[in-house]
Amino acid sequence: MKNKLPDGPKGSWLPTIQLIRNPRAAMESWVKRYGDPFLLNALNGPVVVTGREDLIRSIHGQDPGIYLPFATKTLVPMLGSGSLLVMEGDLHKRERKLMMPMFHGDRMKAYGVAMQQVALQQFERHASQNKTIATLELMTDISLEIIVRTIFGGDDRQQALALMKASRDIVKKSSPLLFFSIKTHVSLWGLSPWDRFIAARARLFDLLDSIIESRQDSSTPGDDILSMLCTAKYEDGQLATREHIREELLTFLFAGHETSALSMTWAVYHLHRNRNVLEKLKSELAGIHDDSTSALAAAPFLKASVQETLRVHPIVTETLRKLKTPMQLGDWTIPAGVAVAPATVLAHYNPATYPDPETFRPERFMERSYSPFEYMPYGGGHRRCIGAAFASFEMAIVLGTLLKRYDIELVDAAPVVPKRRSVTIGPSTNVPIRVLGSS
Ligand code: HEM
């Protein structure tokens, strides 16, 4: 039994910068040098990182009561204390209970048609304006409009456009360092990254406040997520306050559009770099004779292609939990105050689980199933992404709808590599494509 913490890279700034720049390369090099698990003294606190299935199982199998969310010092000033991402304990449990129905089961079917319409309209708009379409721009417009339409409902086009603009802006102003160190939350006459973030947030909050106010006053609530948030009651019969709803909406807009856009862009890239895979997918899609979203969502090779995309490119490379009480992790006793982190990107590239892990091969998801400790693009345990079903459904509908109708090719043959954006990792280019034809 080892009681001290595992070994790891020395210092704080350099490893944090290495992790921000290229998380997979940094973590793989630390595993090689120090073993798995290793200790990372990140700027926002010490973290024991692992990609081992047995240890990830142990982390997700603990009583959630021993954990606190990580980096609330930086996240609370950014998202507010009413965001699901930063809530802890019973409050977090109660909030998830309120929200789960909004993202599950039959709700998906109701969102499917809107997702399909948005995908087609945005694709046609981009194709009519440009010979070369920037996939990332296209997918950002699609995922933003989808999240705005499903959250806010209604047909107010002006309002939707204003929300899309403000949401795009806040993601753009989210410099990665703001998430990693509270020391970067400083004002410099309106010129610092923090000032720019706060200004973008104020613009979005103004907009959200006026929409929430009119929705709360409305006598005929719709079946969109905002209407549900305004009317849903906690177990004690209480309604959520306006400030609280505003912070949850910010979280959904923040967590729910860039992630999907990046994943769908990666999918287009990999599918068109791998002719055989694309042909298999196209032939599956050709066999779907109606436009039914449930048929697309059930198509096995399409589903496997989405899964493989999220394996090769987890948008969040590690998830973190801070310990309230000491925890036994394999041979190590991790003290309170230290965080533990399942490293998704290490688990997803483990050659023992995924033979030839560098190869994009959706078939692997049809040949066997993977445990939630081997495959975890949406994190795991009590904080697993609440939008996971929504996002996987969205990816299948958007990709299936577009690839069934359009033949496209990549404009640029050069490889695209992962690049840090904010807390997320995305493609290093916009993945330009050309339309070859439609069917
Ligand atoms: C491909 C798309 C997406 C990916 C890859 C993704 C990934 C993740 C990950 C890794 C986490 C952290 C889980 C953990 O700590 O174990 C998370 C949390 C979360 N995600 Fe997603 N997400 C996606 C889409 C969405 C969507 C569409 C929404 C909402 C509409 C959303 C809302 C959230 C929220 C609210 C949390 C916090 C959950 C909690 O702390 O209880 N995500 N997501």
Side-chain angles (χ1 to χ4, degrees):
M1 202 61 68
K2 297 171 188 167
N3 279 321
K4 60 182 184 52
L5 286 163
D7 208 358
K10 306 290 166 273
S12 232
W13 273 96
L14 184 63
T16 304
I17 288 169
Q18 288 173 308
L19 188 83
I20 290 177
R21 283 231 178 101
N22 190 341
R24 185 179 155 209
M27 288 194 272
E28 283 180 348
S29 78
W30 294 328
V31 166
K32 245 191 210 148
R33 180 139 186 221
Y34 305 104
D36 184 338
F38 62 85
L39 175 71
L40 173 71
N41 277 306
L43 276 179
N44 43 9
V47 187
V48 173
V49 182
T50 180
R52 275 170 48 184
E53 191 205 1
D54 59 330
L55 300 188
I56 294 171
R57 183 185 293 272
S58 157
I59 292 170
H60 287 318
Q62 302 288 321
D63 170 0
I66 73 160
Y67 295 127
L68 293 170
F70 187 72
T72 41
K73 242 194 220 162
T74 50
L75 280 179
V76 170
M78 294 178 78
L79 300 175
S81 55
S83 161
L84 187 64
L85 274 165
V86 301
M87 283 183 184
E88 50 186 81
D90 287 344
L91 221 52
H92 177 252
K93 206 165 148 190
R94 170 179 113 122
E95 192 73 1
R96 277 188 76 105
K97 207 164 181 188
L98 185 82
M99 291 190 174
M100 288 305 264
M102 301 173 198
F103 290 96
H104 274 272
D106 283 348
R107 300 292 332 143
M108 292 304 123
K109 289 185 203 139
Y111 301 144
V113 175
M115 289 176 175
Q116 202 160 40
Q117 275 174 358
V118 169
L120 287 171
Q121 282 163 4
Q122 285 289 0
F123 188 90
E124 278 152 24
R125 190 175 71 80
H126 277 256
S128 69
Q129 286 173 359
N130 309 293
K131 259 190 160 163
T132 300
I133 300 175
T135 311
L136 184 55
E137 292 296 311
L138 167 69
M139 294 304 181
T140 303
D141 281 342
I142 290 177
S143 65
L144 250 179
E145 191 170 346
I146 285 178
I147 197 90
V148 163
R149 272 174 69 166
T150 47
I151 291 184
F152 298 94
D155 311 314
D156 189 337
R157 187 77 194 140
Q158 282 318 101
Q159 185 188 80
L161 288 175
L163 279 162
M164 285 166 69
K165 185 169 179 296
S167 308
R168 204 184 245 276
D169 196 37
I170 197 167
V171 168
K172 243 192 220 151
K173 303 286 161 51
S174 304
S175 151
L177 275 173
L178 296 176
F179 293 90
F180 282 87
S181 172
I182 187 80
K183 291 181 193 140
T184 60
H185 293 199
V186 284
S187 183
L188 266 179
W189 307 285
L191 299 171
S192 69
W194 178 242
D195 288 326
R196 287 196 288 269
F197 176 83
I198 290 298
R201 193 183 65 175
R203 286 191 289 274
L204 180 58
F205 271 178
D206 281 349
L207 202 53
L208 291 178
D209 279 347
S210 67
I211 300 170
I212 299 166
E213 195 173 341
S214 68
R215 196 66 58 90
Q216 281 178 323
D217 294 343
S218 162
S219 53
T220 51
D223 64 353
D224 49 85
I225 292 175
L226 173 57
S227 296
M228 286 189 262
L229 268 175
C230 289
T231 51
K233 288 188 176 152
Y234 295 103
E235 276 168 340
D236 59 6
Q238 268 188 355
L239 287 166
T241 64
R242 188 170 302 170
E243 291 69 32
H244 187 143
I245 294 175
R246 176 174 93 165
E247 288 171 356
E248 287 302 17
L249 291 179
L250 170 66
T251 304
F252 292 157
L253 289 171
F254 202 80
H257 91 262
E258 196 208 14
T259 42
S260 310
L262 295 172
S263 304
M264 293 192 288
T265 305
W266 277 126
V268 167
Y269 171 73
H270 282 290
L271 288 166
H272 291 84
R273 294 270 298 184
N274 294 276
R275 277 279 132 202
N276 293 345
V277 177
L278 183 65
E279 273 164 24
K280 255 190 187 175
L281 178 60
K282 287 259 184 191
S283 111
E284 179 178 76
L285 294 175
I288 297 175
H289 293 299
D290 56 13
D291 245 359
S292 127
T293 54
S294 50
L296 282 177
F301 198 74
L302 176 58
K303 183 175 173 206
S305 303
V306 168
Q307 287 171 310
E308 178 69 341
T309 301
L310 292 170
R311 177 192 72 82
V312 177
H313 295 295
I315 302 299
V316 179
T317 49
E318 69 286 325
T319 52
L320 301 111
R321 313 275 184 264
K322 194 168 167 179
L323 289 176
K324 251 201 291 198
T325 55
M327 173 191 170
Q328 195 62 36
L329 186 68
D331 286 344
W332 306 94
T333 307
I334 317 291
V338 174
V340 287
T344 312
V345 78
L346 290 179
H348 285 192
Y349 278 86
N350 180 350
T353 319
Y354 302 100
D356 196 7
E358 306 293 331
T359 303
F360 180 82
R361 206 175 71 79
E363 291 85 349
R364 64 174 96 239
F365 282 92
M366 301 171 85
E367 291 158 2
R368 61 158 282 199
S369 56
Y370 298 90
S371 82
F373 318 108
E374 293 170 321
Y375 182 68
M376 44 190 175
Y378 296 111
H382 69 297
R383 300 203 89 95
R384 185 171 186 270
C385 175
I386 202 163
F390 181 99
S392 289
F393 183 75
E394 172 187 13
M395 287 179 72
I397 300 302
V398 171
L399 292 166
T401 301
L402 295 181
L403 297 178
K404 185 168 160 50
R405 278 180 186 68
Y406 295 101
D407 291 323
I408 56 178
E409 66 174 5
L410 297 177
V411 169
D412 196 346
V416 176
V417 294
K419 185 178 160 212
R420 167 76 62 180
R421 296 171 65 88
S422 54
V423 271
T424 54
I425 307 285
S428 54
T429 75
N430 278 335
V431 187
I433 51 167
R434 210 178 354 246
V435 184
L436 299 173
S438 60
S439 46

